[in-house]
Amino acid sequence: MAKKTHVTTTINGEETEFLCEPRQSLLEVLREGLDLTGSKEGCNNGNCGACTVMLNGLPVDSCLVLAVEAEGAEITTIEGIAQQGHLHPLQQCFLEGAALQCGICTPGFIVGAKALLDRNPNPTEEEIRFNLAGNLCRCTGYDKIVRSIQEAAERLQSAT
Amino acid sequence: MNTPTSGSQYKVIGTRPIRHDGADKVTGKAKYGADVKFSKMLYGRVLRSPHAHARILSIDTSEAESHPGVFAVITTTDMPDLVDKMADLGEGVVNMAHLGDNVLAREKVLYKGQAVAAVAAANVHIAAEAIEKIKVEYEPLPAVTWVLDAMHEDAPLLHDNVFTDDMGQKSETPSNVDKEIHFLKGDVETGFAAADLVVEREFKTATVHQGYIEPHVATADWNEDGNVTVWTSTQGSFACRTQTAEILQIPISKVKVVPCEIGGGFGGKITVYLQPVAALLSKKSGRPVQLTMQRDEVFEGTGPTPGSFMRVKLGATKDGKLTAGEAWIAFDAGAFPGGPIGPACMCVFSCYDFEHAKVDGYNVVLNKPKTQAYRAPGSTHAALACETVLDELAEKLAIDPLEFRLKNAATEGTRRVDGPVYPRIGCVEVLQAAQASDHWNSPLEGPNRGRGVALGFWFNCGLKSSASAHVNPDGTVTLTEGSTDIGGSRASIAMQLAETLGITAEEVNPQVVDTDSVGYTDVTGGSRVTFATGLAAYKVGLDIEHQMTSRAAALWDCPPEQVSVESGVYSHNGDSLTFAELAEKLHATGEAIVGRATVAPDGATNGFGVHLVDVEVDPDTGKTTILRYTVIQDAGKAIHPSYVEGQMQGGAVQGIGWALNEEYFFDDQGQMKNASFLDYRIPTFLDVPMIDTIIVEVPNPDHPYGVRGVGETPIVPPPAAIAIAIHNAVGVRMTDLPMSPPKLWKALSEQS
Ligand code: FES
Ligand code: FES
């Protein structure tokens, strides 16, 4: 068995330490080691976006990041999107807009959309579709996801 | 948003409440199959066949067994022998011996990716290393992966115990054709003789996968007392229990299936793959074992929908009346018998009123993964063939395509080619709604652009559902049901109970529970859940209302018949109590109130849908872009319109993928070359526009709220509608799915 590496990182605002093997992905450590099972595994090779987390503010497929690469990084997972018991507007709008059916893609979409809105608070439909093209949804046909992200962007804008 | 349409007779039905499982699903708390974890749990991997067809000569597991960190290795020798036995899983009948072979191959492997052995280890990496150490000696055999090739007399024979079942007659020699279907209505020769114009075309469709984002997963714990618990992602916990018990040859009472949240199924998560294997690994290791598939295993080792070859011939008179239809359909079943050839033959002419028609169907085994149900199984293929030929007739006769369809549309009383007579259906209504739609009445201009329209049908089914509910002292009701919720069905079922009781959707707390905790409930499939489990919820409501009425009567010291109930308010002679006020008094006045119902309804009347699509074709690359898309469908009654729209949109986009991109790509050795989401390309965010929806409501007379199923019909029309739109854009008739850029580019070059 490979020797384990010690990694110190910040996950959802909390300093977190873990031991991992060099071959383990960040997704595997989040899910198996840290019990953060909100990030989903749909393909384990960077093609579905179900495992999307924010790494230093940028969306990444956590199945393509080695856990050892998280040393010193700030990570946000779906578990860190709601704050103080309140849903984030994206989460609220996904619910109101029925933007999920089975919901397996939802954590990835919400984290990906949060990363987008952090950088671009007022994206066009085209920009939403382009930026989240790496997130697959097989259930919804995407329509209600686009609308829910647009609605959340509006609410976030009017709140500031 | 949360108000019913004005003038609605309902308070809850037709509104858009937030789904009950919503908060869990947007925060990452919902527990899907891969999210369960137990102390000492082991992780497994499955060894799969590298050959499309081979005899297994020997399997040596010794090196894998001694690999550090490995706790158990199993092959079919660990599995009980299974005899031929047919079991009904709700959406089709399965031979258990074949199912067992599909779970772990016995003597032969019949497709690349078929499971051969499995390992349980301390983690997935060790398990993956260990399966590499299992030595399997194969004798490769010739493979066949195209349906017409497999029908040839000299094709490699897959099974020496599969015979052709020709409408009940069994062939004398074994064959790759496991089933023939023949339907005849009237006399087609007379019908074609009466036609002014006859069009005939051949069609091919590639194998496509359901493509759910969550891979298959199962966790099993074989307890010391012989009880087995399975936590899994399944469309039907009871169907999973039947299959698991049967394969393990233990009584069903020894198996408890706990359905986790499910990340999509579309028909592909009814059959078992991993569940019995995880159970055997658990038995051998004495620990809970979790098995998860990788994405390539999902493509190569689980059931897609058939590839097909079809020929359709239609005749019509000058004024646009269909005179006859003839269809010849061959479906590949994959490695084992079974599949949707029956529905395909029933669906091909189901939208129209034919006096004379003939349908011949063939189901053929070949060296591909065993096919499974995929949303309206068989109907999408059939609609491509029928609708394309119909469009050509309309075009040549210079009749508007919607008018042409309306002239021939099936209505109440029309007899289908396969026999049944339609009850009240909404085929005409959806066509009329299409005619009146903004999409149809907006001009489409510009070069290489075209509009297509196609009609689609699906049966919908009833099957069995059970539910119970208890009244809480705070006026809420906890509802227990057995239908796994894939797309918001907790909400649509809870809403029907709420409507019945005169309370709000939020006052019902729906729970999907395991097989020990609710009565038998069939799979979430066949577009049946909102219809049948909804009916069960309605009946639970009546049962509760009846008991609440008696309690109110006892309180007021009057006969129950004198208590009237109106929108959840119980009254008698000036006294009145709301549901919640009465609920509060229950404990003090008697026993708890529990309602129950179990149903097996007929009358899940059929769903019809029309799709309108505008496309633009790039003549330089052959790429088709969807510019505008509208789905029109009869829902009977939309309980939660957002989720009805969602089904319509999602089904349409799956159909768009099937039409334009998706295909299993096999080399001449029967090896799939594109088993990843990168190379098997389902529609992404960027590939589709907004999908407009028009819900038509022709109530189903056999459901108290008029519900028809909606989930499956929306995947039926897209390939046909898009093929027709491409024809109208650039003049070529595409008859081969997918209509991918290389194929369309080739067709365009041949045309010019
Ligand atoms: S699981 Fe990481 S992209 Fe699919
Ligand atoms: S909601 Fe099922 S994959 Fe998106």
Side-chain angles (χ1 to χ4, degrees):
Chain A
M1 214 181 285
K3 229 178 113 208
K4 294 199 170 178
T5 305
H6 178 261
V7 176
T8 308
T9 172
T10 307
I11 300 179
N12 301 330
E14 268 177 55
E15 189 177 285
T16 308
E17 295 176 73
F18 59 80
L19 290 173
C20 67
E21 294 180 41
R23 63 182 169 184
Q24 286 187 288
S25 69
L26 177 58
L27 177 63
E28 186 184 344
V29 169
L30 288 172
R31 291 182 50 83
E32 303 302 334
L34 301 171
D35 275 344
L36 293 168
T37 54
S39 305
K40 302 302 178 194
E41 180 183 314
C43 68
N44 210 18
N45 54 15
N47 290 316
C48 78
C51 63
T52 305
V53 302
M54 276 196 263
L55 190 77
N56 297 326
L58 289 177
V60 294
D61 291 333
S62 62
C63 69
L64 291 186
V65 177
L66 287 172
V68 291
E69 293 181 88
E71 176 63 40
E74 293 246 359
I75 294 163
T76 307
T77 70
I78 184 68
E79 289 88 350
I81 302 291
Q83 293 291 325
Q84 281 105 35
H86 291 291
L87 294 180
H88 185 275
L90 272 165
Q91 293 169 315
Q92 189 62 33
C93 292
F94 266 56
L95 291 181
E96 288 173 15
L100 51 143
Q101 284 175 32
C102 80
I104 197 84
C105 67
T106 308
F109 269 104
I110 287 177
V111 173
K114 165 98 170 46
L116 170 64
L117 297 186
D118 286 352
R119 277 173 294 142
N120 177 357
N122 196 13
T124 61
E125 180 190 336
E126 186 64 21
E127 286 168 333
I128 292 172
R129 289 186 181 276
F130 181 82
N131 277 279
L132 294 171
N135 289 70
L136 298 178
C137 175
R138 190 59 155 172
C139 298
T140 63
Y142 302 106
D143 182 300
K144 293 188 189 307
I145 299 180
V146 181
R147 292 180 201 278
S148 299
I149 295 172
Q150 287 172 322
E151 173 68 23
E154 251 173 60
R155 288 192 201 175
L156 280 162
Q157 290 259 62
S158 57
T160 52
Chain B
M1 203 169 192
N2 194 12
T3 43
T5 36
S6 60
S8 165
Q9 68 204 101
Y10 300 123
K11 288 213 164 65
V12 179
I13 286 170
T15 66
R16 301 173 187 244
I18 286 178
R19 60 194 283 172
H20 302 78
D21 52 338
D24 280 352
K25 284 183 175 159
V26 296
T27 54
K29 286 182 197 136
K31 291 281 178 230
Y32 290 81
D35 302 336
V36 300
K37 203 185 268 189
F38 300 98
S39 89
K40 299 220 182 266
M41 188 173 90
L42 302 174
Y43 296 80
R45 273 279 186 274
V46 172
L47 178 69
R48 293 176 182 277
S49 164
H51 301 290
H53 196 188
R55 206 172 299 286
I56 300 174
L57 301 178
S58 66
I59 305 181
D60 175 3
T61 57
S62 54
E63 230 182 282
E65 276 159 28
S66 57
H67 189 67
V70 169
F71 288 77
V73 182
I74 61 157
T75 64
T76 43
T77 53
D78 297 280
M79 224 166 77
D81 281 334
L82 293 167
V83 290
D84 285 348
K85 175 180 170 187
M86 306 309 282
D88 190 352
L89 303 180
E91 269 229 308
V93 179
V94 180
N95 181 331
M96 284 298 158
H98 289 150
L99 184 68
D101 266 3
N102 200 34
V103 164
L104 275 183
R106 220 162 263 273
E107 286 154 18
K108 283 212 305 186
V109 286
L110 297 168
Y111 58 95
K112 188 201 171 205
Q114 190 174 352
V116 172
V119 167
N123 64 47
V124 282
H125 303 285
I126 297 173
E129 287 164 6
I131 59 166
E132 298 289 323
K133 298 195 185 267
I134 298 173
K135 296 198 189 75
V136 187
E137 209 187 327
Y138 293 101
E139 176 197 333
L141 300 167
V144 56
T145 56
W146 170 235
V147 60
L148 296 185
D149 295 344
M151 291 175 84
H152 256 250
E153 263 172 31
D154 48 4
L157 187 70
L158 270 77
H159 303 267
D160 50 21
N161 61 352
V162 167
F163 298 83
T164 309
D165 174 347
D166 180 358
M167 305 296 277
Q169 300 273 24
K170 228 173 168 193
S171 67
E172 274 164 20
T173 49
S175 168
N176 286 339
V177 179
D178 84 90
K179 194 180 193 123
E180 285 187 27
I181 287 177
H182 306 287
F183 296 135
L184 182 64
K185 181 183 175 191
D187 169 33
V188 281
E189 269 175 40
T190 312
F192 284 116
D196 295 309
L197 180 66
V198 173
V199 172
E200 179 172 8
R201 280 191 182 269
E202 291 181 348
F203 299 85
K204 280 200 272 186
T205 69
T207 297
V208 299
H209 198 273
Q210 298 85 349
Y212 30 79
I213 304 298
E214 178 201 40
H216 295 258
V217 54
T219 309
D221 187 17
W222 196 308
N223 206 2
E224 283 71 9
D225 60 7
N227 287 311
V228 183
T229 307
V230 180
W231 295 261
T232 191
S233 170
T234 177
Q235 287 177 242
S237 43
F238 286 90
C240 178
R241 181 180 76 167
T242 308
Q243 296 171 82
T244 304
E246 198 68 52
I247 288 178
L248 299 174
Q249 293 284 295
I250 56 177
I252 50 169
S253 57
K254 291 276 172 197
V255 179
K256 173 162 99 176
V257 174
V258 185
C260 302
E261 296 305 327
I262 166 172
F266 312 110
K269 288 184 183 161
I270 296 170
T271 198
V272 295
Y273 299 100
L274 301 174
Q275 293 87 348
V277 179
L280 289 170
L281 285 168
S282 173
K283 185 182 189 187
K284 208 162 182 179
S285 64
R287 303 238 207 143
V289 175
Q290 183 166 91
L291 279 175
T292 316
M293 284 195 199
Q294 296 290 291
R295 181 53 55 180
D296 56 346
E297 296 181 273
V298 176
F299 279 118
E300 296 189 316
T302 74
T305 200
S308 70
F309 175 87
M310 300 171 287
R311 191 164 47 233
V312 162
K313 179 174 160 187
L314 296 178
T317 59
K318 278 201 286 289
D319 57 356
K321 187 78 195 124
L322 287 168
T323 60
E326 202 174 296
W328 190 98
I329 304 175
F331 269 18
D332 77 39
F336 297 98
I341 188 67
C345 292
M346 297 179 214
C347 288
V348 64
F349 296 139
S350 55
C351 294
Y352 304 103
D353 184 8
F354 280 94
E355 202 182 327
H356 306 286
K358 178 169 182 269
V359 182
D360 298 304
Y362 301 85
N363 200 48
V364 185
V365 294
L366 40 56
N367 299 110
K368 296 206 248 182
K370 165 76 181 86
T371 59
Q372 302 295 342
Y374 179 22
R375 212 168 191 159
S379 192
T380 304
H381 308 70
L384 170 74
C386 179
E387 291 293 292
T388 304
V389 173
L390 195 101
D391 183 74
E392 192 168 343
L393 273 179
E395 184 197 26
K396 291 189 168 150
L397 294 168
I399 301 174
D400 172 272
L402 283 173
E403 277 301 331
F404 189 82
R405 285 173 174 82
L406 271 168
K407 259 187 213 285
N408 296 286
T411 56
E412 185 170 355
T414 300
R415 179 179 288 281
R416 278 201 330 243
V417 176
D418 54 306
V421 176
Y422 279 122
R424 180 77 175 95
I425 50 172
C427 185
V428 166
E429 286 81 355
V430 291
L431 288 164
Q432 287 167 337
Q435 276 184 324
S437 69
D438 179 60
H439 190 161
W440 190 247
N441 294 296
S442 307
L444 172 66
E445 280 153 13
N448 302 313
R449 292 181 166 194
R451 176 167 295 163
V453 53
L455 178 58
F457 159 89
W458 185 247
F459 309 90
N460 304 329
C461 69
L463 302 177
K464 302 187 206 334
S465 286
S466 306
S468 65
H470 53 270
V471 181
N472 299 308
D474 62 358
T476 63
V477 175
T478 302
L479 169 67
T480 303
E481 42 141 334
S483 290
T484 55
D485 180 354
I486 318 187
S489 58
R490 278 185 186 88
S492 65
I493 294 161
M495 288 169 74
Q496 294 180 63
L497 177 58
E499 185 73 51
T500 314
L501 290 174
I503 59 180
T504 65
E506 293 75 13
E507 284 164 336
V508 177
N509 171 20
Q511 301 292 326
V512 178
V513 297
D514 63 65
T515 50
D516 282 354
S517 309
V518 65
Y520 182 87
T521 297
D522 271 309
V523 297
T524 297
S527 303
R528 62 174 286 278
V529 169
T530 302
F531 167 75
T533 311
L535 176 67
Y538 164 80
K539 291 195 168 174
V540 166
L542 295 186
D543 188 10
I544 288 177
E545 189 176 276
H546 179 76
Q547 297 176 52
M548 295 282 274
T549 304
S550 301
R551 192 64 60 88
L555 273 171
W556 291 322
D557 206 9
C558 70
E561 308 78 65
Q562 288 181 13
V563 175
S564 66
V565 191
E566 181 76 41
S567 297
V569 178
Y570 295 73
S571 21
H572 167 255
N573 228 356
D575 286 327
S576 83
L577 288 168
T578 64
F579 185 88
E581 286 162 350
L582 187 51
E584 206 187 321
K585 297 187 192 301
L586 292 180
H587 277 337
T589 56
E591 71 282 4
I593 287 186
V594 179
R596 58 165 286 283
T598 179
V599 300
D602 296 329
T605 50
N606 318 114
F608 289 85
V610 177
H611 291 204
L612 302 173
V613 59
D614 295 350
V615 304
E616 181 171 324
V617 173
D618 178 349
D620 293 332
T621 62
K623 181 175 190 296
T624 301
T625 302
I626 308 287
L627 302 173
R628 183 172 182 183
Y629 205 103
T630 304
V631 183
I632 301 134
Q633 192 176 319
D634 173 21
K637 177 73 202 167
I639 299 294
H640 191 309
S642 296
Y643 289 101
V644 172
E645 292 159 8
Q647 291 294 325
M648 291 159 70
Q649 294 166 329
V653 169
Q654 279 187 320
I656 291 171
W658 191 342
L660 293 177
N661 273 313
E662 296 179 33
E663 71 183 302
Y664 273 47
F665 209 87
F666 290 99
D667 69 9
D668 58 2
Q669 305 296 308
Q671 306 268 332
M672 185 185 183
K673 297 315 242 184
N674 59 333
S676 78
F677 271 145
L678 185 64
D679 298 318
Y680 180 98
R681 201 162 172 285
I682 71 172
T684 73
F685 229 144
L686 266 182
D687 295 321
V688 285
M690 294 297 195
I691 308 292
D692 296 330
T693 55
I694 298 171
I695 299 175
V696 174
E697 293 183 324
V698 178
N700 174 3
D702 288 328
H703 184 279
Y705 297 123
V707 171
R708 295 175 198 265
V710 293
E712 287 166 292
T713 303
I715 202 175
V716 178
I722 293 168
I724 292 164
I726 289 174
H727 169 74
N728 292 335
V730 290
V732 291
R733 285 271 173 207
M734 296 299 289
T735 55
D736 186 354
L737 296 187
M739 300 173 281
S740 53
K743 272 193 223 155
L744 182 48
W745 184 84
K746 188 159 171 274
L748 287 168
S749 345
E750 281 165 3
Q751 171 201 42
S752 53

